[in-house]
């Protein structure tokens, strides 16, 4: 492999006690998924590949989604047993696996160069398009872990169905994204609207990043009624939109050293918040310049797009959006949650984690 240490070590600094406990579960997960297979002469090479691939792609992100399963569960169950905390961490790692299997192929489709401060998995010289199969490999691991750890739990079916439904929702979101701005296609801003961007974000990001972790914790705590889940979903999907707008902004204006990747939304012809907002504000001349330069893998073209963004003062527009969204989310938490089963602290925790983030 191309050197795997430097970027990964950057992600291991300043570990909190809960993050350490969460990380400590990962080797067990890898052992469960690969241990027996490594002893089989017929399949051992495939399991060695799986082990290497999991260790490269899964454990080095911020892990906010996985950790949110644990922190949310602790809000729902004030006196959790060690066994249940371990299960919450396992389910948290299932969310991290869920994200990893999408990211592996997303990086191929976007022609991304780096992920979490390292070369994207497919960019490693011994991987290439094998990464497509590896994404299926990672997805299948989720269901092996669920069977291993929660098969005898009353919430097993709910959790299985939740992962399956969230998978469908995320694939739908990816489809909306790719068909709005197809790879290799000419730049066409026809569908680059605030409404289309909102739909892409809802289905591609918000369900798996925000509703999935909290819903897992709710099912673990015995909260399975439709009303509680609908209330939680309403707030968490709003939060997911807020989060993705931040991501779109950081892709352009964030520091690659901080966010762990080189932003390529402009080159990738992405229907992101910056471009749809710019098109709402731009003059006809600016729109023509954006069309000429957007979606081009040329540094001069990227520079011209960013220059228009600065002329439109999108950094200030974003800051205003962030403040108004934060206030709206806090108001929604107070107004929407009417059942005793869903404590407001769960959602306030989420908002505080993402507000003013820089990576």
């Amino acid at each position: 492999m191309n050197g795997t240490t430097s970027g990964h070590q950057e992600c291991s600094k300043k570990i909190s006690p809960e993050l350490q406990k969460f990380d400590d579960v990962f080797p067990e997960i890898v052992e469960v998924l690969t241990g027996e297979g490594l002893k089989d002469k017929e399949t051992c090479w495939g399991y060695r590949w799986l082990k290497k691939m999991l260790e490269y792609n899964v454990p080095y992100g911020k892990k906010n989604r996985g950790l949110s399963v644990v922190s949310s569960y602790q809000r729902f169950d004030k006196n959790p047993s060690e066994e249940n905390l371990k299960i919450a961490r396992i389910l948290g790692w299932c969310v991290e696996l869920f994200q990893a299997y999408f990211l592996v192929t997303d990086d191929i489709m976007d022609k991304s160069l780096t992920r979490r401060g390292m070369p994207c998995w497919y960019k490693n010289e011994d991987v290439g398009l094998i990464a497509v199969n590896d994404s299926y490999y990672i997805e299948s691991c989720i269901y092996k872990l669920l069977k291993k750890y929660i098969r005898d739990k009353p919430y097993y079916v709910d959790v299985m169905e939740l992962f399956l439904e969230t998978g469908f929702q995320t694939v739908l979101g990816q489809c909306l994204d790719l068909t709005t701005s197809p790879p290799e296609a000419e730049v066409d801003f026809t569908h680059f609207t605030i409404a289309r961007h909102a739909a892409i974000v809802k289905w591609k990001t918000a369900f798996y990043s925000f509703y999935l972790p909290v819903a897992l914790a709710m099912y673990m705590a015995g909260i399975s009624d439709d009303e509680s889940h609908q209330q939680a979903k309403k707030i968490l999907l709003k939060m997911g939109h807020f989060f993705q707008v931040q991501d779109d902004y950081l892709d352009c204006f964030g520091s690659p050293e901080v966010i762990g990747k080189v932003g390529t939304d402009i080159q990738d012809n992405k229907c992101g918040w910056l471009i749809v907002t710019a098109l709402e504000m731009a003059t006809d001349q600016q729109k023509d310049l954006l069309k000429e330069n957007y979606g081009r893998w040329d540094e001069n073209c990227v520079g011209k797009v960013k220059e228009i963004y600065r002329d439109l003062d999108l950094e200030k527009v974003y800051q205003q959006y962030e403040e108004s969204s934060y206030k709206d989310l806090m108001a929604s938490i107070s107004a929407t949650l009417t059942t005793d089963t869903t404590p407001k602290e769960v959602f306030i925790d989420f908002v505080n984690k993402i507000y003013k983030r820089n990576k």
Side-chain angles (χ1 to χ4, degrees):
M1 308 297 291
N2 302 328
T4 60
T5 11
S6 59
H8 287 172
Q9 284 178 344
E10 282 300 309
C11 298
S12 63
K13 294 178 180 178
K14 299 179 182 177
I15 292 181
S16 68
E18 179 49 49
L19 177 54
Q20 184 63 62
K21 291 176 183 177
F22 190 75
D23 282 347
D24 287 346
V25 175
F26 187 70
E28 178 182 327
I29 286 174
V30 174
E31 173 63 23
V32 165
L33 292 170
T34 65
E36 288 302 313
L38 290 171
K39 300 172 187 175
D40 187 305
K41 290 183 180 179
E42 186 177 343
T43 60
C44 62
W45 168 243
Y47 281 96
R48 283 200 295 271
W49 182 271
L50 174 60
K51 185 175 188 293
K52 176 177 72 171
M53 186 262 295
L54 289 173
E55 291 174 343
Y56 190 97
N57 289 292
V58 181
Y60 297 106
K62 297 183 290 291
K63 303 168 199 161
N64 288 338
R65 295 167 182 83
L67 289 167
S68 293
V69 179
V70 185
S71 61
S72 298
Y73 177 65
Q74 288 174 310
R75 290 290 193 183
F76 293 124
D77 184 347
K78 300 297 185 184
N79 190 28
S81 67
E82 283 302 315
E83 178 191 357
N84 282 339
L85 282 174
K86 181 178 179 181
I87 290 174
R89 293 178 186 121
I90 297 290
L91 292 181
W93 277 112
C94 287
V95 176
E96 294 297 314
L97 286 162
F98 184 95
Q99 182 190 31
Y101 94 77
F102 274 103
L103 294 182
V104 166
T105 48
D106 195 53
D107 285 341
I108 298 172
M109 289 183 279
D110 289 348
K111 295 184 179 178
S112 297
L113 303 176
T114 60
R115 171 70 63 182
R116 297 166 176 172
M118 295 296 298
C120 295
W121 176 241
Y122 82 97
K123 294 297 290 182
N124 285 279
E125 60 186 26
D126 58 341
V127 181
L129 291 181
I130 295 172
V132 176
N133 189 65
D134 289 339
S135 71
Y136 306 145
Y137 222 164
I138 299 172
E139 181 189 16
S140 66
C141 290
I142 296 169
Y143 300 101
K144 288 183 71 69
L145 291 172
L146 295 182
K147 183 178 179 181
K148 164 74 175 176
Y149 287 99
I150 66 167
R151 189 181 186 183
D152 62 342
K153 302 296 182 184
Y155 48 83
Y156 178 50
V157 172
D158 284 328
V159 166
M160 286 277 287
E161 290 182 346
L162 177 64
F163 270 107
L164 290 168
E165 180 66 15
T166 308
F168 179 85
Q169 290 161 340
T170 309
V171 170
L172 172 60
Q174 183 76 328
C175 177
L176 292 173
D177 188 12
L178 292 170
T179 54
T180 298
S181 50
E184 311 296 339
E186 287 296 313
V187 174
D188 179 2
F189 289 148
T190 304
H191 301 297
F192 276 46
T193 64
I194 296 290
R196 179 61 68 93
H197 175 257
I200 293 169
V201 170
K202 175 182 176 181
W203 296 100
K204 182 178 177 179
T205 301
F207 276 104
Y208 96 84
S209 295
F210 287 85
Y211 177 62
L212 175 61
V214 176
L216 288 170
M218 292 172 73
Y219 283 129
M220 268 196 74
I223 305 167
S224 57
D225 64 285
D226 287 343
E227 184 180 2
S228 295
H229 277 265
Q230 287 303 319
Q231 289 183 10
K233 189 183 296 182
K234 182 177 179 180
I235 295 169
L236 292 163
L237 292 182
K238 270 190 179 183
M239 228 175 278
H241 185 90
F242 177 42
F243 177 87
Q244 186 59 49
V245 171
Q246 289 177 313
D247 242 25
D248 292 350
Y249 174 81
L250 292 172
D251 184 272
C252 179
F253 292 109
S255 166
E257 292 76 22
V258 176
I259 64 176
K261 64 176 182 176
V262 178
T264 59
D265 282 0
I266 294 172
Q267 296 94 314
D268 292 332
N269 189 28
K270 283 294 183 182
C271 179
W273 181 83
L274 288 169
I275 186 63
V276 298
T277 303
L279 290 170
E280 291 267 319
M281 301 171 61
T283 64
D284 289 342
Q285 183 182 10
Q286 287 172 321
K287 288 177 184 177
D288 288 340
L289 284 169
L290 285 170
K291 188 170 183 179
E292 287 172 18
N293 292 284
Y294 202 73
R296 306 280 191 267
W297 283 83
D298 180 289
E299 284 304 310
N300 289 329
C301 293
V302 173
K304 289 176 183 177
V305 172
K306 289 186 177 182
E307 185 179 349
I308 293 173
Y309 286 173
R310 292 190 183 94
D311 289 344
L312 295 172
D313 207 2
L314 288 190
E315 291 184 80
K316 183 177 180 180
V317 175
Y318 168 77
Q319 290 164 4
Q320 292 170 341
Y321 167 85
E322 185 175 45
E323 290 303 318
S324 64
S325 294
Y326 175 77
K327 291 175 183 175
D328 179 57
L329 280 168
M330 296 302 282
S332 293
I333 290 169
S334 296
T336 305
L337 297 175
T338 59
T339 62
D340 294 333
T341 55
T342 49
K344 292 180 173 61
E345 291 81 6
V346 172
F347 306 92
I348 292 170
D349 284 349
F350 260 81
V351 176
N352 289 335
K353 281 177 186 173
I354 62 176
Y355 180 55
K356 295 287 187 185
R357 72 187 180 95
N358 63 358
K359 61 180 180 178

